Amino acid sequence: MQTSLVESGYSNIDNTNNPTKYVRRLDKQGATNLWQGVKAQMLSLLEVGKGDSVIDVGCGTGSDVRAIAQIVGENGRVVGVDSSTTMIQEALQRAKGLNLPTEFYVGDAENLEFPDNSFDCCRVERVLQHLHNPQQSLLEIVRVANLGARIVIVEPDYGSIKIEGADPTVTSKLIKRRCSHFRSPNIGMQLPLLYKRLELEKIAVTVTPVVNDNFEDNHEKFLLSKYVEPAVTIGLVSAQEGSKWINDLKGAADQGNYRHTISLFLVSGRKPDV
Ligand SMILES: C[S@@+](CC[C@H](N)C(=O)[O-])C[C@H]1O[C@@H](n2cnc3c(N)ncnc32)[C@H](O)[C@@H]1O
């Protein structure tokens, strides 16, 4: 069994065969309408103002850190933390010469090395799904948040995946396997309750169904291969079953009957200010 196929590479980018592949992947995703829309929604909920201090936990290449740094101005502070040295080096490189109030650190979302009450806004996008203990990370985020700080998180709910267009028995096996690729596949769905347990205030939840029905889209092809390849490698389905599944989906797409859906949870709240 190839262990690299068992767990998402995002959980430990630096230990993968090709860490810079993840840099390119984030760039591609960040350029799509979907993720640009999500980032804009998060920014609006964060209510970032001039002079604010902001943390982006699991900042990747630092694109959101740089965008937010333009808003906070020279008296503000925007910190990006990521467990991947590759990502942090890339983020530092991209911030060079921009003269923005950005800082980047290699660090662990479950153990943030900042004092209590340090940040006015905390953002986390597509990171908690990759952690063993996302609850611990949320505790840490609330700890480093200032009283009254805005905490905005976006995570998918892999339990919500539906794929229409091929044998449902094979599909359900492949979806189950896909979910186990992530350390915390259901964190999106769990976030609202976790916010309540931590007694955050003004909790708002937006659930967005992401529907893909364009089989020829490159990202779609990539995504579907992520269902099949690991399942074939561990012997869950045979190579023939895997390629039949893809071909059936393609046939369904030709009739307009292919669909892949997953829900994204966007959850915002405030740390109580008393
Ligand atoms: C899907 S990427 C999202 C990056 C960025 N938030 C964005 O939206 O462009 C997930 C990021 O989480 C980081 N990550 C994974 N485990 C982490 C941990 N324990 N602590 C901090 N960052 C982590 C990865 O290195 C990766 O950069």
Side-chain angles (χ1 to χ4, degrees):
M1 190 193 295
Q2 285 178 30
T3 49
S4 60
L5 289 175
V6 171
E7 185 166 81
S8 165
Y10 281 114
S11 292
N12 200 341
I13 288 174
D14 296 343
N15 272 11
T16 62
N17 295 339
N18 186 359
T20 53
K21 177 176 84 181
Y22 293 87
V23 170
R24 291 194 297 274
R25 233 184 242 178
L26 285 184
D27 283 345
K28 268 196 186 161
Q29 290 171 356
T32 61
N33 289 341
L34 168 68
W35 292 108
Q36 285 189 2
V38 168
K39 287 171 191 298
Q41 251 180 309
M42 291 182 82
L43 196 54
S44 146
L45 288 162
L46 284 166
E47 295 177 22
V48 179
K50 281 228 173 299
D52 275 349
S53 57
V54 182
I55 185 166
D56 186 18
V57 178
C59 63
T61 62
S63 56
D64 300 292
V65 170
R66 291 190 299 281
I68 294 171
Q70 311 262 13
I71 301 170
V72 300
E74 58 187 357
N75 295 324
R77 174 191 190 206
V78 191
V79 172
V81 175
D82 201 285
S83 58
S84 161
T85 304
T86 307
M87 286 295 169
I88 292 299
Q89 279 171 351
E90 186 68 27
L92 285 167
Q93 188 60 31
R94 292 183 185 194
K96 232 183 204 168
L98 296 180
N99 202 21
L100 289 169
T102 56
E103 299 167 32
F104 291 99
Y105 303 101
V106 175
D108 183 1
E110 292 177 16
N111 180 22
L112 295 171
E113 293 184 18
F114 299 95
D116 297 0
N117 307 320
S118 297
F119 298 100
D120 303 307
C121 309
C122 307
R123 90 181 286 287
V124 187
E125 182 190 330
R126 297 178 285 162
V127 178
L128 302 185
Q129 60 184 299
H130 300 299
L131 309 183
H132 282 303
N133 193 346
Q135 292 85 347
Q136 169 61 23
S137 177
L138 197 49
L139 269 177
E140 277 292 86
I141 289 160
V142 173
R143 180 185 66 74
V144 302
N146 273 332
L147 303 182
R150 284 80 70 195
I151 299 173
V152 181
I153 304 183
V154 165
E155 296 291 333
D157 171 33
Y158 288 95
S160 70
I161 293 177
K162 297 269 182 290
I163 302 175
E164 190 59 42
D167 179 342
T169 311
V170 178
T171 301
S172 89
K173 273 193 212 173
L174 295 180
I175 290 177
K176 202 165 163 215
R177 159 60 226 161
R178 175 75 181 146
C179 289
S180 67
H181 192 61
F182 302 96
R183 289 180 175 175
S184 296
N186 305 117
I187 186 63
M189 172 77 109
Q190 293 160 347
L191 274 177
L193 182 59
L194 294 176
Y195 267 52
K196 272 192 201 158
R197 285 199 184 136
L198 290 169
E199 299 182 347
L200 297 181
E201 294 176 343
K202 298 192 178 170
I203 300 172
V205 182
T206 307
V207 184
T208 306
V210 180
V211 183
N212 294 339
D213 55 11
N214 179 0
F215 193 84
E216 291 310 323
D217 179 76
N218 269 337
H219 177 66
E220 197 68 356
K221 283 186 185 156
F222 165 76
L223 185 72
L224 292 172
S225 72
K226 291 296 215 184
Y227 283 87
V228 173
E229 284 163 16
V232 170
T233 304
I234 63 171
L236 184 67
V237 297
S238 67
Q240 287 91 329
E241 275 178 308
S243 38
K244 179 173 180 337
W245 188 73
I246 295 277
N247 283 338
D248 287 352
L249 293 179
K250 184 169 177 3
D254 292 342
Q255 311 283 318
N257 295 329
Y258 162 71
R259 215 148 278 108
H260 177 288
T261 68
I262 181 169
S263 297
L264 272 188
F265 276 72
L266 191 166
V267 185
S268 63
R270 279 170 195 262
K271 180 165 166 177
D273 58 8
V274 281

